Amino acid sequence: MEYIFAFLVGGIICVFGQMAMDVWKFSPIHVMSMFVVLGALLGSIGVYDWLVSFAGAGAIIPISGFGYALMDGVEANMQESGLLGIGPGMFAQTGISLSAAILFSFLISLIVKPKG
Amino acid sequence: MKLRDHYQEAVKLFQPKPSYFFNSLKAFFVGGFICAVGQALQNLYIEIFTLHISVAQQMVLGTFILLATLLTGMGVYDKIGQFAGAGSLIPITGFANSLASAAIEHRSEGIVLGVASNMFKVAGAVIVYSVVIAYILGVIHYLFSTLF
Amino acid sequence: MKLVGKQTWIFENEVYLQAAATAVGPTETEGPLGEQFDVTYQDLYCGEDTWELAERRLMKEAVQICLTKAKLEINDIDFFLAGDLLNQNVTANYTARDFPVPFLCMFGACSTSMETLAVAAALVDGNFARRVLTATSSHNATAERQFRYPTEFGGQKPKSATFTVTGAGAALVSREKSLFRITAATIGKVVDFGMYNPLDMGAAMAPAAASTIRQHFQDLKTSPQDYDFIVTGDLSGVGSPILRELLREEGYDLADKHRDCGLLIYRTDQEVFAGGSGCACCAVVTYGHLLKEMEKGNLRKIFVVATGALLSPTMMRQNESIPAIAHGVVLEAVKGEK
C-alpha cells in the first residue's frame, strides 16, 4: 500500500537525518543543507525518481524532495533553453514551496510574538 | 588516563551519550507519520480538485508549510522539534519552521531590519546550497548531454 | 598585603554583604527555590514588550529591592558594578542609565556575579568606596536568540545542554555590619582545555572551576573540610562530576561538600536538560537561597565559585574552542548579628 511506503521511506530518511545529528554531530543547518544536496544528486542520476515512484509523499515531503524538485525543474528547462535554463529551471517547481514559506512566515510575524 | 592531561579524550566518559535508539525511533515515527498524512492529502486533493499529480504534490507541500508556520506561531513547534528531532526537521515542515521562527523572533527589530533581514538566518544555507548544487549538476548534465 | 598566594584577596577590614535581592522568571518560580526569590514573574516577558526589556526589568527591580532592603537611596551608593550576557552588555548599561551613580561595566559571562562581588569587596576594603552595588542578569530568550537559534525553532537539544536562567540578582557591599561577611575572593585565570561544543558548557567550564578552587585552597592553605559548601555557578549535571574528578586528581576530595547552583535551581522533572546556566544562575541561588540558609544557621562558611564560558557564536563558527573562567568569593555568617 502506498501509505506504508510513504511512511517507511519518509521515516527512514528522517532516521538518517537523526543519525547525522546524533552520531556525526552535524547541526540542523548542516543536516538540512546536506539533504537538499543529496536529493539533488540522487535526482540527477535518476535514483530519486525511482524512490518517488513507489514512496510518493515519503520522498517528496522530506527536504531531500526539495533538492529533487530543483533538478527536475532544471532538467526540464534545460531541454528547451540549454545552460540558460538552469536559473529559471531550479525554481520552476520549488518556487511554490519557497514563496509560500516566505509569505506565510512574513504574515505570521505580523500577528504573533515569540513565546520562548 | 588522567583527566587533567588528556582532557579532550578522557572527558568523553563524563559526557552523556544521546539516546541513539529512541531518538531515531521518534524521528522515524514522526517523520513517517507526516509523510503518510502527506500521501493521504495528495490523494485527497487529486480526488476533490481533480489536479495533476505534480500540482497536488505542491499543494501538499504548501499545506504542510502553512501548518508548520501556524504551529511555530502558536509556540508549539519547538516542543515538537525537541521530541521528534529529525522527524520534524527533515520534512519540509522543518524548513518552514526555520523561516517562521526567525521571522517571528526578529519582529522586535521591525519588519525590514528585523523580520525580512533575519528570516533566512537558519535556512539561508539551504537556499544557497540549493542554487549552487543545481548549477553544478546542471552544468555537468549539459556537458554529458552535449558530449555523448 | 591583601593579596595572598597567587590569586586570592583577603579582606581584613570587615567587608559585609549588607543586602541582596533577586528577581526571576516563570521556570525558576516553579522550581524548588521559588518561594525564596523576592520578585517572581509568571511570564517570560515580565510585563514588557520584548525579551531584552524583560531582562532589563529584572535587573532594575533587583537593584531597587536591594536598595529598599538596605533602607538606602541610589544617591547613597558610590559605585555600581554590573554585567550580563548580551552583546555590549546592554542590560547592565541600559539599567545603569536609570541609576545616576558611577558605573563600571563588567563581563565575565556566567561568572559575573562573583566577579562583581569580589571587585566590590576589594573597593570597599581598600577604602575606594563606602558602598558598592553589584548586579547581574540573564534571560532564557535573550541568550537563546543571541547565542543559538530563534526561540521557536524546532531544533533538538542534547542532554548536555543547559537552560539559561531568567533572572537577576543584586547585592550591596559595604562596611555596615550585617550577618554576611565577605572574607576572601579568588580571581580566576582564563582556562581552555579544548572543548568545542557550545551545547556542553559543563565540560568546557569545569577545568576553570577546578583551577580557581585549587588555587584558592593553595593560596589560603585550606581544604574542602574548612567550608560547609563549595558551590559552583553552573557546571550542572555534566560539569559537576568532571570538577570533582579534576580536583581529586590534585589531591582535593570535595566529597559531599560540592553543590552547583545549576542543579539547585530546577527540579529534575522540569525540562531543563543538564541544569541551569547563565549569569543569574549563581546570582539568584546565592543571593536568594544560600544567604537564607546562612540566616537560618544551616550554613556558616561557603565558597561560591561562579563559572563563565567566554565563547561567541562567531568564534564557534571559526572553529575556536571555548575558553572559560571562574571567580570565587568566601561568605561567612557572623554570629550574633541581627
Side-chain angles (χ1 to χ4, degrees), chain A residues 11 15 18-19 22, chain B residues 19-29:
Chain A
V15 170
Q18 188 68 39
M19 279 167 42
D22 284 348
Chain B
S19 315
Y20 297 112
F21 178 69
F22 284 113
N23 285 351
S24 290
L25 199 68
K26 289 185 285 183
F28 178 76
F29 276 104

Side-chain angles (χ1 to χ4, degrees), chain B residues 1-5 7-8 11 14-19 23 26 71-86 88-89 94 97-98 101-102 104-109 121-122, chain C residues 49-52 141 145-146 148-160 193-197 200 202-207 210-211 214 237-238 241-243 245-246 249-250 271 273 321:
Chain B
M1 201 185 334
K2 244 193 159 186
L3 193 53
R4 210 195 145 65
D5 300 321
Y7 195 72
Q8 285 167 319
V11 81
F14 293 87
Q15 292 172 316
K17 303 277 176 294
S19 315
N23 285 351
K26 289 185 285 183
L71 289 172
T72 303
M74 283 162 44
V76 166
Y77 202 95
D78 52 349
K79 301 197 178 18
I80 299 174
Q82 182 58 40
F83 174 79
S88 66
L89 182 77
N97 161 255
S98 63
S101 61
I104 293 170
E105 184 65 59
H106 292 277
R107 175 73 176 85
S108 55
E109 281 93 74
K121 200 172 172 182
V122 181
Chain C
D49 276 337
T50 69
W51 307 126
E52 284 75 16
R145 87 203 292 255
Q146 177 176 295
R148 288 174 278 271
Y149 296 106
T151 54
E152 296 301 337
F153 179 62
Q156 190 180 51
K157 290 206 179 125
K159 295 182 201 168
S160 58
F193 271 33
M195 291 287 102
Y196 289 83
N197 186 4
D200 181 6
M205 297 190 295
S211 160
R214 183 208 65 228
V238 178
I242 300 176
L243 171 73
E245 180 60 24
L246 282 170
E249 284 174 0
E250 309 249 24
E271 281 159 21
F273 311 97
S321 53

Side-chain angles (χ1 to χ4, degrees), chain C residues 7 9 11 15 17 80-85 89 92 103-124 132-137 169 171 173 182 184-190 212 231-234 278-283 286-287 303-310 324-331:
Chain C
Q7 294 167 223
W9 290 330
F11 304 115
V15 178
L17 201 163
F80 182 33
L81 270 51
D84 59 272
L85 285 177
N89 262 332
F103 177 58
L104 284 168
C105 193
M106 307 185 84
F107 182 80
C110 311
S111 70
T112 306
S113 56
M114 292 303 117
E115 181 186 1
T116 49
L117 198 64
V119 174
L123 289 174
V124 170
V132 180
L133 188 59
T134 69
T136 187
S137 69
V173 180
I182 304 175
T186 302
I187 303 298
K189 293 193 253 197
V190 176
T212 300
V231 188
T232 45
D234 52 1
C279 308
C281 189
C282 187
T286 304
Y287 301 149
F303 182 41
V304 183
V305 183
T307 49
L310 305 170
I325 196 166
H327 303 295
V329 175
V330 180
L331 294 166

Side-chain angles (χ1 to χ4, degrees), chain C residues 126-286:
Chain C
N127 278 321
F128 288 103
R130 285 161 302 240
R131 298 186 199 91
V132 180
L133 188 59
T134 69
T136 187
S137 69
S138 57
H139 190 290
N140 191 275
T142 58
E144 205 55 36
R145 87 203 292 255
Q146 177 176 295
F147 287 98
R148 288 174 278 271
Y149 296 106
T151 54
E152 296 301 337
F153 179 62
Q156 190 180 51
K157 290 206 179 125
K159 295 182 201 168
S160 58
T162 50
F163 189 86
T164 307
V165 167
T166 301
L172 177 63
V173 180
S174 70
R175 292 283 183 82
E176 195 77 31
K177 268 195 163 53
S178 81
L179 181 54
F180 318 106
R181 207 181 133 198
I182 304 175
T183 53
T186 302
I187 303 298
K189 293 193 253 197
V190 176
V191 174
D192 187 338
F193 271 33
M195 291 287 102
Y196 289 83
N197 186 4
L199 291 167
D200 181 6
M201 300 284 208
M205 297 190 295
S211 160
T212 300
I213 294 174
R214 183 208 65 228
Q215 196 60 48
H216 176 84
F217 290 148
Q218 283 178 5
D219 288 344
L220 295 183
K221 298 189 182 23
T222 54
S223 72
Q225 275 58 50
D226 298 310
Y227 307 85
D228 287 319
F229 282 148
I230 314 283
V231 188
T232 45
D234 52 1
L235 292 182
S236 59
V238 178
S240 296
I242 300 176
L243 171 73
R244 284 193 281 268
E245 180 60 24
L246 282 170
L247 284 173
R248 198 191 58 77
E249 284 174 0
E250 309 249 24
Y252 295 106
D253 182 12
L254 289 182
D256 55 347
K257 300 279 182 179
H258 175 246
R259 293 291 181 278
D260 183 81
C261 298
L263 293 172
L264 290 171
I265 194 163
Y266 297 125
R267 291 189 316 270
T268 41
D269 62 287
Q270 288 181 283
E271 281 159 21
V272 290
F273 311 97
S277 66
C279 308
C281 189
C282 187
V284 304
V285 173
T286 304

Side-chain angles (χ1 to χ4, degrees), chain C residues 13-61:
Chain C
N13 291 325
E14 305 223 336
V15 178
Y16 293 91
L17 201 163
Q18 192 182 337
T22 55
V24 296
T27 320
E28 296 71 27
T29 308
E30 289 161 24
L33 308 176
E35 315 268 296
Q36 303 188 18
F37 301 120
D38 296 307
V39 179
T40 57
Y41 280 100
Q42 301 300 331
D43 164 40
L44 213 47
Y45 277 101
C46 306
E48 298 286 343
D49 276 337
T50 69
W51 307 126
E52 284 75 16
L53 287 172
E55 187 178 340
R56 219 178 285 170
R57 181 172 180 150
L58 289 167
M59 185 182 271
K60 187 169 180 176
E61 292 198 349

